[in-house]
Amino acid sequence: MTQAANYGGDTFQARQSGLKRAFAAVLRGRRITMTEQMRTRPRFKTLAGVLLIVVYLVAYCLIMMALVATWMVDKPIALQTVFYAFAGLAWLLPMRWLLRWIARD
């Protein structure tokens, strides 16, 4: 093995993933198994999940902006700080469920 193909003990082929590995197999003349084909193609569920993430984040931002504009204008600084801390982290729990759904086979 040449020095250029060795990255910190990992071979170049070990670092290839998904489509690159399948493409390299085709170039070598080896048939690709069904499992390798399925791993290289993005699923519809992934696309739907990404679109749901975008829609969810836009809706969440719009709702939080409306709450701030109508409700938080004349509140004390301490209450605003607590609200912003909560609102800044509250989107993570639904996102976690959505990402788990996308990753599930």
Side-chain angles (χ1 to χ4, degrees):
M1 176 171 299
T2 64
Q3 186 66 17
N6 190 356
Y7 299 105
D10 294 337
T11 63
F12 180 70
Q13 289 179 346
R15 294 184 143 237
Q16 289 178 333
S17 64
L19 188 59
K20 289 181 181 179
R21 189 179 310 133
F23 185 68
V26 169
L27 288 178
R28 288 192 304 268
R30 186 175 65 86
R31 288 188 163 236
I32 302 173
T33 64
M34 182 61 82
T35 307
E36 288 174 331
Q37 286 179 359
M38 291 176 68
R39 270 191 258 144
T40 59
R41 272 190 260 149
R43 298 178 304 183
F44 175 75
K45 187 176 176 182
T46 305
L47 175 63
V50 169
L51 292 176
L52 281 173
I53 287 172
V54 170
V55 169
Y56 167 72
L57 287 177
V58 168
Y60 182 80
C61 290
L62 291 174
I63 290 168
M64 288 300 127
M65 286 189 304
L67 282 175
V68 167
T70 59
W71 185 68
M72 294 300 294
V73 176
D74 56 349
K75 301 297 183 212
I77 297 295
L79 184 62
Q80 288 183 17
T81 303
V82 170
F83 175 79
Y84 286 125
F86 176 76
L89 297 174
W91 64 275
L92 291 173
L93 190 61
M95 189 63 63
R96 184 174 117 188
W97 294 328
L98 188 56
L99 290 173
R100 282 185 180 173
W101 175 75
I102 293 171
R104 194 171 17 145
D105 285 335

